[in-house]
Amino acid sequence: MAIHITGDTAADEVLTKDPFALLMGMLLDQQYPMEHAFRGPAKVLERFGTLDPRRIADADPEKFAALCSTPPAVHRFPGAMATRIQDLARIVVDKYDGDATRLWNEAADGKELMKRMTDLPGFGKQKAQIFVALLAKQVGVRPSGWEAAVGAYAEDGFRSVADVVDSVSLQRVRDYKKEKKAAAKALKDS
């Protein structure tokens, strides 16, 4: 399946072909517009020459942070995210022999996959749920119990990046998030 999140054909191709890129994009999807976050892996590939987790994990931290900070930066907080990218790469190397797909393909069920995801740096429960839903909806990775593990993110609709397949669905996800924030603010203000 082809991934269509960023609005940039080349960046989407990187996400489609490289599982570590998709994982990195999800890591970067925080306090930053989602399509820009998911373009981050393509920027790293262009500047670093590879997305091999071993090479990223072993890279000089200062040099890696500098390449992540080069305009256009990979994230709003490029230095902190460079550290997280390297931490993520180390985990993929140490626990999954450098193969990000082992993280999800070897999970016994949705519950175990959620545990594996929340063990990653920068992946809280909600981000883990969204990524598991993204894997299920767009990559075809559906371990038993994944729906229960991700809750409402498994449903049809436009709740998260898991539901983004083009510019129209991206806008619908944005609208949904805006409505949720407005409702939360109204509840808080009442």
Side-chain angles (χ1 to χ4, degrees), residues 39-143:
R39 286 181 196 145
K43 292 175 188 174
V44 171
L45 176 60
E46 179 182 315
R47 297 169 191 175
F48 192 63
T50 183
L51 291 175
D52 179 351
R54 285 181 179 81
R55 299 257 319 270
I56 291 172
D58 291 341
D60 176 270
E62 287 182 21
K63 289 180 181 177
F64 192 75
L67 79 85
C68 288
S69 300
T70 300
V74 299
H75 193 272
R76 181 175 157 198
F77 304 109
M81 287 301 170
T83 299
R84 281 201 173 164
I85 291 168
Q86 286 193 288
D87 290 345
L88 179 65
R90 282 185 201 97
I91 290 171
V92 169
V93 170
D94 294 345
K95 289 190 173 184
Y96 305 102
D97 197 31
D99 181 357
T101 63
R102 289 184 56 197
L103 196 139
W104 48 84
N105 287 338
E106 295 178 2
D109 55 29
K111 185 177 178 180
E112 182 183 340
L113 179 52
M114 278 294 297
K115 170 75 172 97
R116 288 174 175 218
M117 295 308 303
T118 57
D119 285 347
L120 299 175
F123 281 76
K125 179 182 177 186
Q126 184 178 28
K127 183 175 282 206
Q129 288 176 311
I130 292 168
F131 190 72
V132 171
L134 174 64
L135 290 172
K137 291 179 174 184
Q138 296 196 39
V139 182
V141 175
R142 297 181 178 104

Side-chain angles (χ1 to χ4, degrees), residues 144-188:
S144 65
W146 76 268
E147 298 99 329
V150 303
Y153 294 109
E155 298 170 8
D156 288 337
F158 299 95
R159 290 176 179 76
S160 73
V161 70
D163 303 305
V164 175
V165 295
D166 56 25
S167 61
V168 172
S169 56
L170 173 63
Q171 188 57 51
R172 291 186 71 181
V173 168
R174 280 217 169 89
D175 293 344
Y176 173 81
K177 288 182 176 191
K178 187 176 181 180
E179 289 171 18
K180 296 295 275 182
K181 282 184 183 180
K185 185 180 183 323
L187 185 62
K188 181 182 171 188

